[in-house]
Every structure is written in structure tokens, then in C-alpha cells.
Amino acid sequence: MSGQIIGPGSLSLNQWTTRRWSVAEAVDGCVRHDLAAVGLWREKVAEQGLAESVKLVRAAGLRVSSLCRGGFLTAGGLPGEEGRRAYARALEDNRRAIDEAAELEAACLVMVVGGLPGVKPGEPAGDGPGGFSRDLAGARDRVAEAVAELAPYAGERGVKLALEPLHPIYCPDRAVLSTLGQALELSLPHPEEQVGVVVDTFHVWWDPRLFEDISRAGRRIASYQVCDYLHPLPEDVLLGRGMMGDGVIDFGPITRAVMAAGYTGDVEVEIFNAAVWAADPDEVVATMKSRYEDVVLATR
């Protein structure tokens, strides 16, 4: 079935799906399950060591479909010296992330751009009016400014920044870009080899403009990530991503639209789910492969 839509060898294991695996274990798992690509996370790469991670991936003959993550660019929206220092730290960390992606020869660096300035992921925004900014438009402006500064640096190193819109439930603390259209508009001032966008089914399946914006994005689609949207969501909504077929998303039309737009890269399965993380990773990967064939590539 896979040849009807995507060429063979295009399925990639995003490392967070088998979160307990180190880089070495994830690489071994991909080889064992006949996968051609892996999506890596910076935390895991740091634990393994960048040089060792590069060595492992290359020795196994794997592609690195993405490195996650750069971003969190909005802290510069805080007032005064605090904001200036936060912005400088964010740029410095993102330059390091770009360098790591270049060493790994990753297809892209996924950019989770950050939420409202001062709001930390998963933490309350505060009981009073101070401590964070409610200026959503300003936060988006800070993202645009940071991308404009980082894009040439990425381009010089052959790295594509992949702006990832996140579901609106994550707008306060993780990403002020909530739609593919918003991410696409932010990417357009830059060469497509420097800045692209991520289509992640969990985050964008609900968008009434999704198919129009996928078509508009065309070759700016730098990564296609899949998992299902569980309903109801768990108490920790970050863990509401399920194995394809376990939730409400109709994958076939989205996959066909992404491919019709000209995307030829790997398809990553990225799942944040406590039960999936607790399961045997080899069983998770086996299920992932079968669901990819039966659900993601569905032609109905």
C-alpha cells in the first residue's frame, strides 16, 4: 500500500515516541525494525554526546529526519533588561541548536516558537497581573524578529528552520503560532531553504484552512509528523497524542495533501503518551509500522 502515496523507507521514528530509548537504543531500534530515518531530540543527543550521536547515526546509515527542538523565542517580550537578556540567551541557544542540526545533517531543526513571555510550559501563569505579558501580537512580533536573525545563520550551515504551529491549547505556554497559515506567513520573507513549516497532524487536523494552507506551503513543508488526537484529552493535555487510529483524525486526506504539495521527506511518528512510553518500545515500533500502513497511508 505504501507505494501508492509515499516511497518505501520514508517512515521515521521520532525519538520521543520511545522516550526511554537513548540515541544508541533508538538507532539500534530503527535498524532492527528496518526503518531508514530517526527524529532526534537535543536532550537525548546531549546525553549521548553530539559526536557519538553523529557516529552512531552515520554508522547505521540512517537519515536524521529532524532535530527537536529550537525556538522559545518570545521571552524578549518581557520588559527592560530582563527581556533583553532573555532574548540574547534564546538566540545563543538556537545558534547552538543550528550547529547541532548541521553536525547531524538533520533535514530540519523543529522550532517550537514559545508562548506568552514569562509563561513557562506547564506552569500557572500567575495569580496576579504581573510576571508575564499578555501581549500576544507582540509575542508573535518577537518570533518574527528572532527568525529573521537566525535564518541567515541557519542558511550558512545548511540547516532549515521548521516553524511548528501548535494546537491553540498550547498558545499560552508553548507556541503563539497556532495555525499552519500563521507559520507559513512567518516563513515567506525568507528563502525556502532557510525557513519552512511543520505539518503535525495532532496540532493542525482541526483547521478549516488546513488543505488550502498545505497547498500554499508547497515545498516549504519541512517535516510531516503524525500521531492521533485523543478524545477526551487526559488531564495533562501534553500527553493527549495517541497512536494513529486511536483518536479522531482522518489521516488519508492530510497525507495525500502533503504529498500533492510536493513533500518528499520522511514521515515521523511523534507521540507524547504515558501509556505508550510505559509499553515495550519494540512493540510500540511494531504497532507504529502497522498503523502507518493501515491508517496514515489509507487511500479511502
Side-chain angles (χ1 to χ4, degrees), residues 35 43 66 84 90 99 105-106 142 157 174 214 228 252-253:
L35 299 177
E43 296 94 323
S66 75
R84 286 188 289 272
D99 292 341
E105 298 181 357
R142 300 294 84 72
R157 286 150 184 81
R174 286 184 168 84
I214 286 174
D228 220 329

Side-chain angles (χ1 to χ4, degrees), residues 161-183:
L161 306 178
L163 304 177
E164 181 171 19
L166 268 58
H167 192 283
I169 56 177
Y170 303 114
C171 186
D173 62 348
R174 286 184 168 84
V176 294
L177 299 181
S178 300
T179 68
L180 182 60
Q182 287 176 319

